[in-house]
């Protein structure tokens, strides 16, 4: 079992920056591909960013490409989402997710919520105009 705890959300003005963190506990962190999703009120959960277990391969959604960056620190059991040039439409609850990596799939990343085995409780990000 893996527990994921997100932090770093808050209220920021448009154009500002935030860095979200997701710390994992319970099992070996390095065996998991990680991802970030977000969900605005009344909308579906959308993919934001993902990173592989091996090689640091990452993928960023087109809606945030050039503004958001995903990274991970395996020694700290933590994955980060650096968010710059924030817009009001980025307002949402942001969720961290983890997927157990099978042998031979270490360089893969995943973009659907259903691809993941664990999900955190989320952290609210609000961007004011």
């Amino acid at each position: 079992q893996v527990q994921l705890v997100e932090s770093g959300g808050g209220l920021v003005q448009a154009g500002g920056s935030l860095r979200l963190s997701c710390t994992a506990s319970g099992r070996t962190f390095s065996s998991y591909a990680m991802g970030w999703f977000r969900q605005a009120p009344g909308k579906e959960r959308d993919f934001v960013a993902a990173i592989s277990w091996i090689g640091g391969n990452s993928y960023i959604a087109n809606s945030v490409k050039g503004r958001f960056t995903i990274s991970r620190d395996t020694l700290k059991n933590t994955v980060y989402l650096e968010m710059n040039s924030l817009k009001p439409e980025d307002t949402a609850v942001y969720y961290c997710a983890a997927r157990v990596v099978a042998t031979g799939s270490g360089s893969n990343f995943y973009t659907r919520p259903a691809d993941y085995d664990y999900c955190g409780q989320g952290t609210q990000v609000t961007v004011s105009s």
Side-chain angles (χ1 to χ4, degrees):
Q1 192 75 7
V2 172
Q3 292 77 43
L4 304 172
V5 178
E6 303 96 336
S7 62
L11 174 64
V12 64
Q13 289 188 335
S17 299
L18 285 173
R19 187 176 79 158
L20 304 184
S21 300
C22 172
T23 300
S25 62
R27 290 189 61 179
T28 304
F29 177 68
S30 60
S31 301
Y32 295 86
M34 304 295 293
W36 286 97
F37 296 84
R38 67 185 183 184
Q39 188 166 17
K43 295 188 177 181
E44 294 184 351
R45 188 166 297 190
D46 291 333
F47 168 75
V48 177
I51 191 165
S52 64
W53 170 40
I54 295 174
N57 297 328
S58 63
Y59 184 73
I60 306 294
N62 288 336
S63 58
V64 301
K65 192 170 292 183
R67 301 187 296 122
F68 289 15
T69 304
I70 186 171
S71 61
R72 67 188 297 167
D73 185 334
T74 302
L75 292 178
K76 295 183 178 180
N77 292 347
T78 300
V79 63
Y80 304 98
L81 184 68
E82 188 76 35
M83 306 187 296
N84 299 311
S85 301
L86 283 161
K87 304 175 181 180
E89 51 263 45
D90 294 320
T91 295
V93 178
Y94 284 70
Y95 298 90
C96 169
R99 174 190 169 101
V100 176
V101 174
T103 301
S105 301
S107 60
N108 294 351
F109 48 77
Y110 303 89
T111 62
R112 302 179 304 165
D115 291 332
Y116 289 84
D117 302 301
Y118 304 98
C119 186
Q121 294 298 308
T123 185
Q124 177 71 46
V125 172
T126 302
V127 184
S128 63
S129 57

